[in-house]
Amino acid sequence: MATDREEFALIREALKKNPRGMNVIEIAAAIDMHRQSVTKYLEMLVISGQVEMRTFGPAKVYYLSQRLPLSAMLSISSDMILLLDRDLRIINANDAFLSRMNAAREEILNKVIGSEYFPLEFQPSIIPYIADAILGKESRIEAVYKKRGREQFFDVKLLPVVFDDGQPGATVILEDVTGQRRAEQERETILARLKESDQQFRSLLQNLRSGVVLVEADGRFSIYNPAYLQIFGFTDQDMQSLNIDSPEWSSIESFDKDGNPLPVEERPSIKAFRTGSPVKNMLVGFRRRTDTRITWALVNAEPQKTHDGRVDKLICTYYDITDRKLAEEALRENERRLQKAQEIAHLGSWELDLVNGTLTWSDEVFRIFGLQPRQFKATYADFLEVVHPDDRKAVDAAYTVSISEGRDTYEIVHRIVRKSTGEVRFVHEKCEHYRDASGRIVRSVGMVHDITERKRMEDALKDREEYLKLRLNALLAPEGDICEKTLEEVLDLPALQESIDSLYDATGIGIWILGLDGKILAGKGWQDICAKFHRCHPEASRNCIESDLCLAGKPLAEGEYAVHRCKNGLWDLRTPIIICGKHMANLNSGQFFYDDEEIDRAFFERQAEKYGFDKEEYLAALDRVPRVGRDKVLKTIGFYMKFARMIAMQSYSNARLAKALIEKK
């Protein structure tokens, strides 16, 4: 035993000289001792608390102990510690053990360990391992103690110890690891649940209709599902090499909601990475790599950030709405065609929900009523406000009676007053009523058709018929000679006006027919300088009338013409209309300059000052007066003479026919 103490002293001295620590090989070399012996003595020194051992990977390094004496350590340790001699007598026990055993120290010291002083029954039993420790074998086991149905878990360390007298013993250290074990069990349970949840998540991911992808901070696509591959036309092999920053990804064509090319930096994934902010429900079109068709998707990109605010991951979802978008586009196209058709036909549609009191108009209804489309939310009261005041009561009564009497339809023609212009127009209203399960009318769907032009044509036709009837009566009247009738009685002035309108639209040449008293019977095509200035001013208009009378009063034979410059400075010309040998009217044209004459601009400037015209606008109208070559004037006069002769012959034929009818009677 004295030799052992010497060996212990040698080892402690070597360690004292090397405070940074030594391993077994270094200690054996320093004190010239076999490594196995050094190891044995080191274990004893460690157990007795004189030496500390630290591990660095696979290496063990030993230091002189700076810990408290063993007795102090026993007192402060929270583990239960027993020190036993070779006969299994309790040499020492710490406070934690005594507290757990509810025993006093003097009661158990020098007592042999047994059921009386060590009643804890472990599974497995630790007694055999204590015996091994006394024989010098260190061991560590996990034992379970069951008490009142509860399990307590202990990590039991059994360490050999050698007392100062050289006798072997054992140290039993019982660490209560129940909390740790239960935490591990909970962890295993959680891991099992996480595994199950992960399986469920992956199963859900595989069956989702929406494409899902997880993008790492370096741009890799770490998780994706089949729907994502389908949207872009990718394969698993593509995804292994694809990166959000790679040219292959950037080269995929993408489009905004209106079909315009979408810059790469504005794509949801790139934008979310760049800004660190989420992108919500952005409509994007992608051209597939496989069949080049465009897939439309609602895209969400949600950045996942680290504690310092960096984007660590990005979760993107792609909800394929291609079919819906194509259907919406087709619907919009149909609506556009319907609106265009309604606009062309001046036919609008409407729907009145009698339950909620809401009225819906198509764009054409707004236009028919002189309102901007979608200008406001229409109501039945708004509709009645547009109806002509004299028709309002009748329209309201017709609709409400059709409801109260349970009729299937409602129909009426009435007037409206356009709010924008005050113009009165005619519309044809018609609708069908729809009923609920009880038979109550709950909805009306109808149309409003602008029939103003048709109504005007019908009224014009009636007026025309009345005019022809009166003219025929005048021609057939027995009083006086047929050739003594007035020009209005002989000529079909409405038909003549239509001919003049068509002629002006085709040639742009102004033409009008004047009676010998200067009265304008039909005509079209006055120049702006005359229509907007000369004939609008009392004094200047006298010059126009004087010119008309001058031309009208000068006798001309059939086939002759006259050219005259009016006092307002423009050229006019005329040729006579002779019926039954009688000069009854003149066919006039003019309001032009010869292209070879010099216009006296100063004269017209004086005219503007004299009559108070806006000088700038008046001279602009002067510049629009046509300049005509003399040859063209002669050809135009020739045409007008033939046209006047045709009018005279038509009128003469009418007179002859009327006379023949009278004589036949």
Side-chain angles (χ1 to χ4, degrees):
M1 189 65 190
T3 303
D4 289 342
R5 291 194 183 97
E6 291 175 1
E7 303 301 341
F8 291 155
L10 289 173
I11 292 173
R12 286 197 298 269
E13 186 64 27
L15 292 174
K16 185 177 181 180
K17 293 178 180 179
N18 294 275
R20 293 186 178 181
M22 302 173 71
N23 59 31
V24 172
I25 297 174
E26 291 171 340
I27 296 171
I31 64 175
D32 193 19
M33 185 183 295
H34 193 275
R35 281 184 289 175
Q36 291 182 352
S37 299
V38 171
T39 301
K40 181 182 70 171
Y41 290 124
L42 282 170
E43 290 177 352
M44 295 178 182
L45 290 169
V46 169
I47 291 171
S48 64
Q50 299 177 55
V51 171
E52 293 181 358
M53 186 271 291
R54 301 176 189 172
T55 57
F56 297 91
K60 295 181 178 180
V61 180
Y62 297 87
Y63 307 83
L64 274 180
S65 177
Q66 296 179 342
R67 294 180 294 179
L68 296 171
L70 180 59
S71 59
M73 287 298 297
L74 290 174
S75 298
I76 66 174
S77 175
S78 61
D79 297 334
M80 294 189 296
I81 302 175
L82 279 176
L83 192 60
L84 307 173
D85 65 9
R86 62 185 297 173
D87 297 322
L88 299 183
R89 288 180 301 184
I90 300 173
I91 302 301
N92 203 349
N94 70 346
D95 294 341
F97 181 85
L98 296 172
S99 176
R100 180 67 69 95
M101 294 291 99
N102 194 23
R105 192 181 306 276
E106 59 271 12
E107 293 176 354
I108 65 171
L109 289 180
N110 296 317
K111 303 293 184 181
V112 176
I113 188 171
S115 60
E116 181 180 355
Y117 302 109
F118 197 68
L120 299 179
E121 296 179 1
F122 289 95
Q123 293 294 332
S125 174
I126 66 173
I127 299 299
Y129 296 96
I130 294 175
D132 289 342
I134 292 173
L135 295 175
K137 182 181 178 182
E138 180 180 338
S139 61
R140 181 175 182 175
I141 65 169
E142 185 177 284
V144 181
Y145 168 66
K146 292 185 178 180
K147 183 177 181 181
R148 297 190 185 96
R150 289 190 62 190
E151 291 183 334
Q152 287 182 287
F153 297 88
F154 290 89
D155 183 14
V156 184
K157 302 182 184 69
L158 302 112
L159 306 174
V161 66
V162 178
F163 298 104
D164 289 342
D165 60 1
Q167 294 299 314
T171 300
V172 182
I173 303 174
L174 298 116
E175 181 184 0
D176 189 343
V177 294
T178 304
Q180 298 176 18
R181 183 61 186 271
R182 287 176 179 165
E184 289 176 359
Q185 290 176 341
E186 289 179 2
R187 179 175 174 272
E188 290 175 358
T189 302
I190 291 172
L191 288 175
R193 290 177 179 173
L194 284 175
K195 184 177 180 180
E196 181 182 1
S197 177
D198 182 66
Q199 291 174 344
Q200 292 175 347
F201 167 74
R202 292 186 179 276
S203 176
L204 176 64
L205 199 63
Q206 293 296 308
N207 292 284
L208 273 178
R209 290 184 57 191
S210 296
V212 180
V213 64
L214 178 66
V215 187
E216 301 293 339
D218 59 3
R220 291 180 299 107
F221 298 93
S222 57
I223 298 176
Y224 51 87
N225 67 342
Y228 178 81
L229 301 180
Q230 175 68 22
I231 287 173
F232 288 93
F234 291 143
T235 64
D236 283 314
Q237 186 176 0
D238 295 330
M239 298 302 293
Q240 302 308 312
S241 59
L242 203 61
N243 187 291
I244 200 170
D245 298 319
S246 64
E248 292 83 1
W249 175 256
S250 301
S251 65
I252 297 173
E253 291 184 83
S254 55
F255 308 90
D256 64 18
K257 61 183 178 62
D258 298 319
N260 302 313
L262 185 68
V264 173
E265 63 273 13
E266 291 301 318
R267 290 183 186 176
S269 55
I270 303 294
K271 188 174 182 180
F273 255 129
R274 175 169 51 85
T275 64
S277 299
V279 176
K280 301 289 188 182
N281 291 324
M282 181 176 176
L283 180 59
V284 184
F286 300 95
R287 192 181 297 281
R288 288 164 50 93
R289 297 172 58 183
T290 50
D291 55 17
T292 71
R293 72 182 179 92
I294 295 177
T295 299
W296 291 95
L298 285 175
V299 186
N300 289 274
E302 188 74 35
Q304 307 296 305
K305 298 182 181 180
T306 59
H307 65 279
D308 58 356
R310 292 182 298 105
V311 177
D312 180 50
K313 290 178 174 58
L314 187 70
I315 299 176
C316 297
T317 60
Y318 299 79
Y319 182 61
D320 189 343
I321 62 164
T322 304
D323 292 341
R324 189 178 84 185
K325 190 167 192 309
L326 293 177
E328 289 175 350
E329 289 177 353
L331 179 61
R332 281 194 295 271
E333 178 62 20
N334 288 337
E335 288 177 346
R336 187 194 66 79
R337 290 175 179 172
L338 177 61
Q339 288 181 1
K340 191 64 179 176
Q342 288 188 354
E343 184 179 350
I344 293 172
H346 299 299
L347 178 67
S349 58
W350 56 268
E351 180 174 335
L352 177 59
D353 187 330
L354 295 171
V355 177
N356 299 320
T358 56
L359 176 62
T360 304
W361 285 345
S362 68
D363 289 353
E364 186 58 23
V365 174
F366 281 91
R367 282 190 285 266
I368 289 172
F369 291 164
L371 302 167
Q372 290 297 321
R374 317 294 177 181
Q375 186 177 8
F376 61 92
K377 189 174 182 180
T379 65
Y380 182 69
D382 294 323
F383 161 67
L384 290 178
E385 191 67 26
V386 179
V387 176
H388 193 284
D390 295 343
D391 296 348
R392 193 171 297 159
K393 186 175 181 180
V395 171
D396 184 34
Y399 179 75
T400 53
V401 167
S402 72
I403 299 293
S404 62
E405 294 183 354
R407 299 176 186 173
D408 293 331
T409 61
Y410 148 80
E411 185 173 6
I412 194 172
V413 173
H414 63 86
R415 292 169 293 175
I416 62 168
V417 180
R418 284 186 169 175
K419 286 191 173 182
S420 55
T421 61
E423 179 187 4
V424 176
R425 300 188 71 83
F426 288 85
V427 296
H428 174 209
E429 294 265 4
K430 185 177 182 180
C431 83
E432 291 186 3
H433 299 311
Y434 292 84
R435 294 171 167 79
D436 60 12
S438 66
R440 181 171 61 104
I441 296 176
V442 294
R443 186 164 55 101
S444 301
V445 178
M447 66 85 184
V448 54
H449 189 194
D450 186 341
I451 60 169
T452 305
E453 302 307 321
R454 189 184 78 188
K455 193 77 169 57
R456 287 173 178 171
M457 290 177 62
E458 291 174 353
D459 292 344
L461 182 60
K462 290 180 181 178
D463 292 343
R464 175 76 171 158
E465 290 175 351
E466 185 64 26
Y467 169 79
L468 291 176
K469 181 179 178 181
L470 292 174
R471 198 166 68 86
L472 184 60
N473 289 337
L475 288 173
L476 297 178
E479 302 86 11
D481 190 280
I482 189 67
C483 293
E484 295 299 323
K485 302 294 183 181
T486 64
L487 193 63
E488 290 92 334
E489 294 173 330
V490 175
L491 287 178
D492 186 349
L493 293 180
L496 186 58
Q497 181 63 55
E498 290 180 6
S499 299
I500 291 174
D501 290 342
S502 300
L503 182 62
Y504 177 78
D505 292 341
T507 65
I509 299 173
I511 182 173
W512 53 96
I513 297 175
L514 272 70
L516 298 183
D517 57 357
K519 180 181 178 182
I520 299 174
L521 303 176
K524 187 173 183 178
W526 285 273
Q527 295 297 322
D528 285 349
I529 195 170
C530 291
K532 295 182 179 180
F533 292 94
H534 295 156
R535 290 186 179 268
C536 293
H537 190 276
E539 188 175 349
S541 66
R542 283 198 291 270
N543 294 334
C544 299
I545 295 171
E546 182 180 329
S547 178
D548 294 341
L549 293 175
C550 177
L551 286 171
K554 185 178 181 180
L556 290 173
E558 185 175 4
E560 291 184 337
Y561 69 91
V563 179
H564 171 75
R565 185 193 291 272
C566 74
K567 290 185 177 180
N568 288 324
L570 280 73
W571 289 100
D572 291 322
L573 59 86
R574 69 155 179 135
T575 188
I577 297 175
I578 297 175
I579 302 173
C580 297
K582 182 180 179 182
H583 184 188
M584 300 186 70
N586 294 299
L587 189 151
N588 288 40
S589 184
Q591 299 174 2
F592 66 90
F593 294 115
Y594 288 111
D595 62 358
D596 59 356
E597 71 174 306
E598 183 177 351
I599 298 174
D600 187 355
R601 201 170 186 81
F603 168 78
F604 289 98
E605 290 177 353
R606 290 193 299 272
Q607 287 273 92
E609 294 175 0
K610 179 179 180 181
Y611 300 127
F613 299 147
D614 183 297
K615 188 173 183 180
E616 184 176 347
E617 293 183 5
Y618 181 68
L619 294 178
L622 173 68
D623 293 335
R624 292 193 295 272
V625 174
R627 298 175 65 85
V628 186
R630 296 182 184 272
D631 290 342
K632 186 174 181 179
V633 171
L634 291 176
K635 292 179 181 178
T636 302
I637 291 173
F639 168 77
Y640 285 160
M641 286 191 294
K642 293 178 181 178
F643 188 56
R645 188 177 301 115
M646 181 186 70
I647 294 173
M649 290 179 64
Q650 178 71 32
S651 301
Y652 183 70
S653 298
N654 290 341
R656 291 286 303 273
L657 175 61
K659 187 174 183 180
L661 289 173
I662 292 173
E663 291 174 350
K664 187 175 181 180
K665 286 183 178 181

